[in-house]
């Protein structure tokens, strides 16, 4: 009896950004004690950590504030949310600074890391993937996912048997898309259609 050839599977990954971590400088000199005492949504415990934490409800983000005006924004789901959170923060803090940024100053930010979740809509054979593809780590007794790393764009992908993927390390939404499409092409030979839910 001849073995049935394996149906060729085409993977079209769908992804959504879960978190963007970005850094920026507000060109301010911040008095974190005063800010923490005047603003409700600011936590500051200098004996534990040198920065203050500002939580914004809209867009839902958290910002780490440092005395030198440098900030780190987390929680944005796209770059527009990050930009909006940083501008809002600048407006809130400008009155608490000894120095003012130049007129017409607009803070720019650098994306440090993007975390995205994706669906490949296939079942992945993680054992075959780990044994045949370079740069894949898989220790099923320690963790149920396999880790696939790409040098360019520099990303790490956590692969699960059910076709779910977590992508970290990208610096732009384009990086995430490129890494997932590269992974899709690489993983197609090790994929099978998801079992039908009865």
């Amino acid at each position: 009896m001849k073995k049935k050839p394996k149906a060729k599977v085409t993977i079209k990954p769908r992804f959504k950004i879960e978190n963007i971590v970005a850094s920026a400088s507000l060109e301010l000199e911040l008095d974190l004690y005063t800010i923490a005492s005047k603003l409700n949504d600011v936590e500051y415990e200098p004996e534990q950590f040198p920065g203050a934490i500002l939580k914004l409800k809209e867009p839902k983000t958290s910002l780490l504030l440092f005395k030198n005006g440098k900030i780190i924004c987390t929680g944005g789901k796209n770059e527009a949310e990050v930009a909006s959170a940083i501008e809002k923060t600048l407006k809130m803090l400008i009155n608490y600074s000894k120095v003012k940024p130049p007129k017409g100053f607009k803070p720019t930010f650098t994306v440090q890391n993007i975390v995205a979740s994706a669906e490949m809509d296939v079942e992945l054979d993680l054992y075959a993937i780990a044994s045949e593809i370079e740069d894949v780590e898989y220790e099923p007794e320690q963790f149920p996912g396999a880790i696939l790393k790409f040098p360019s764009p520099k990303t790490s992908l956590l692969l699960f048997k059910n076709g779910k993927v977590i992508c970290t390390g990208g610096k732009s939404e384009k990086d995430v898309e490129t890494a997932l499409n590269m992974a899709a092409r690489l993983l197609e030979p090790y994929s099978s259609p998801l079992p039908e839910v009865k």
Side-chain angles (χ1 to χ4, degrees):
M1 195 159 135
K2 275 214 324 232
K3 235 174 130 187
K4 243 188 8 202
K6 210 167 136 193
K8 180 141 173 46
V9 177
T10 306
I11 301 177
K12 291 192 167 42
R14 298 173 289 126
F15 73 91
K16 98 172 193 272
I17 305 275
E18 300 294 346
N19 181 19
I20 296 180
V21 178
S23 59
S25 173
L26 299 179
E27 303 288 329
L28 302 176
E29 211 172 288
L30 298 175
D31 177 347
L32 298 178
Y33 280 106
T34 307
I35 291 167
S37 65
K38 295 273 200 314
L39 297 176
N40 288 337
D41 301 322
V42 175
E43 293 164 26
Y44 183 43
E45 304 202 8
E47 51 290 336
Q48 284 177 18
F49 185 75
I53 299 166
L54 164 67
K55 288 189 160 55
L56 293 180
K57 291 185 181 69
E58 196 46 54
K60 197 169 179 338
T61 45
S62 292
L63 293 101
L64 268 180
L65 317 173
F66 296 96
K67 284 190 179 85
N68 61 3
K70 296 219 182 311
I71 61 169
I72 293 170
C73 174
T74 67
K77 300 274 195 264
N78 55 50
E79 294 187 19
E81 281 191 11
V82 174
S84 158
I86 291 172
E87 281 183 29
K88 211 168 182 177
T89 303
L90 176 62
K91 283 195 186 102
M92 280 168 80
L93 302 180
I94 200 156
N95 296 332
Y96 300 104
S97 174
K98 298 180 191 78
V99 295
K100 298 278 187 271
K103 218 172 156 48
F105 168 74
K106 267 180 103 60
T108 55
F109 62 88
T110 307
V111 173
Q112 303 296 342
N113 181 21
I114 293 182
V115 179
S117 61
E119 301 268 354
M120 296 280 191
D121 296 321
V122 291
E123 192 167 275
L124 297 173
D125 182 344
L126 297 181
Y127 282 103
I129 290 167
S131 60
E132 294 179 30
I133 297 177
E134 272 180 56
D135 299 322
V136 174
E137 293 164 34
Y138 183 43
E139 309 266 345
E141 47 291 333
Q142 285 173 24
F143 185 74
I147 299 167
L148 166 64
K149 291 187 171 159
F150 288 127
S152 174
K154 197 169 177 347
T155 44
S156 294
L157 286 83
L158 256 182
L159 314 173
F160 295 96
K161 183 177 182 244
N162 62 3
K164 291 199 186 319
V165 178
I166 305 284
C167 173
T168 66
K171 299 271 198 269
S172 65
E173 292 177 33
K174 185 92 191 98
D175 280 2
V176 174
E177 199 177 330
T178 304
L180 287 168
N181 286 332
M182 281 163 53
R185 284 194 297 277
L186 201 56
L187 300 174
E188 276 172 3
Y190 311 99
S191 323
S192 51
L194 283 169
E196 281 176 32
V197 181
K198 294 219 165 43

